[in-house]
Structure formats: structure tokens, C-alpha cells
Amino acid sequence: MNIKPLADRVVLKMLEADETTKSGIILTSKAQEKPQVAEIVAVGPGGLFDGKEVKMEVSVGDKVLMSKYAGTEVKVDGEEYTILRQSDILAIVE
């Protein structure tokens, strides 16, 4: 199944969270922070939002930094994705 976002939405696949701290302590899944870096897998066409035209500034394959609790998490074909508006993306990670 393919996910095709509408309007100014993007579909993200979260990158794995660190399982150890910098000092080497192994973290349990509950102790790990929710990852904020993700890879874009699909981008909507843009369009009008509140009467203003929205131009998509991200593209498939970009790694981005997103707001901590932004978006809606969905599971499709056993894979977990997050769908959110482009405005919830804080930066492109280079």
C-alpha cells in the first residue's frame, strides 16, 4: 500500500532512537526519548492553506527535525509512519 499525503502534509519514517547514552549506559525503551529526526518518504502537492498558497520546501529523502509531539502516527503494512503538516518541520538536517 502506498501513502499519498494531501495538501501541505508530509509522511515521515522516524529514524531509530539511540539505545545507549554517550557514556555507554544502555537505555530501556521507556527511558529513550521519542526521536525527533525522521526521513521524508512522501510529500503532498502543497496548495492553499488559510487562503495563502503553501509551497513545499521539502522533498522525499530529506532528513528533518520535527516538533516533539507533532503529527499523527499511523501503521501501514507493519511499518510505522508519522503524517504531519510541513509547518511542524523545524529544519532540514544536512
Side-chain angles (χ1 to χ4, degrees), residues 20-80:
T20 58
T21 64
K22 290 180 182 178
S23 60
I25 298 172
I26 298 174
L27 300 171
T28 64
S29 60
K30 286 186 178 184
Q32 294 174 4
E33 286 190 29
K34 180 180 176 186
Q36 290 178 262
V37 177
E39 183 174 353
I40 297 178
V41 295
V43 177
L48 292 177
F49 182 69
D50 287 338
K52 299 176 185 171
E53 186 171 350
V54 176
K55 178 182 170 232
M56 299 307 285
E57 298 185 25
V58 294
S59 57
V60 173
D62 285 348
K63 287 190 171 88
V64 295
L65 184 64
M66 59 180 260
S67 297
K68 196 165 199 164
Y69 299 106
T72 301
E73 295 176 0
V74 296
K75 195 170 192 176
V76 177
D77 294 335
E79 295 285 333
E80 292 185 16

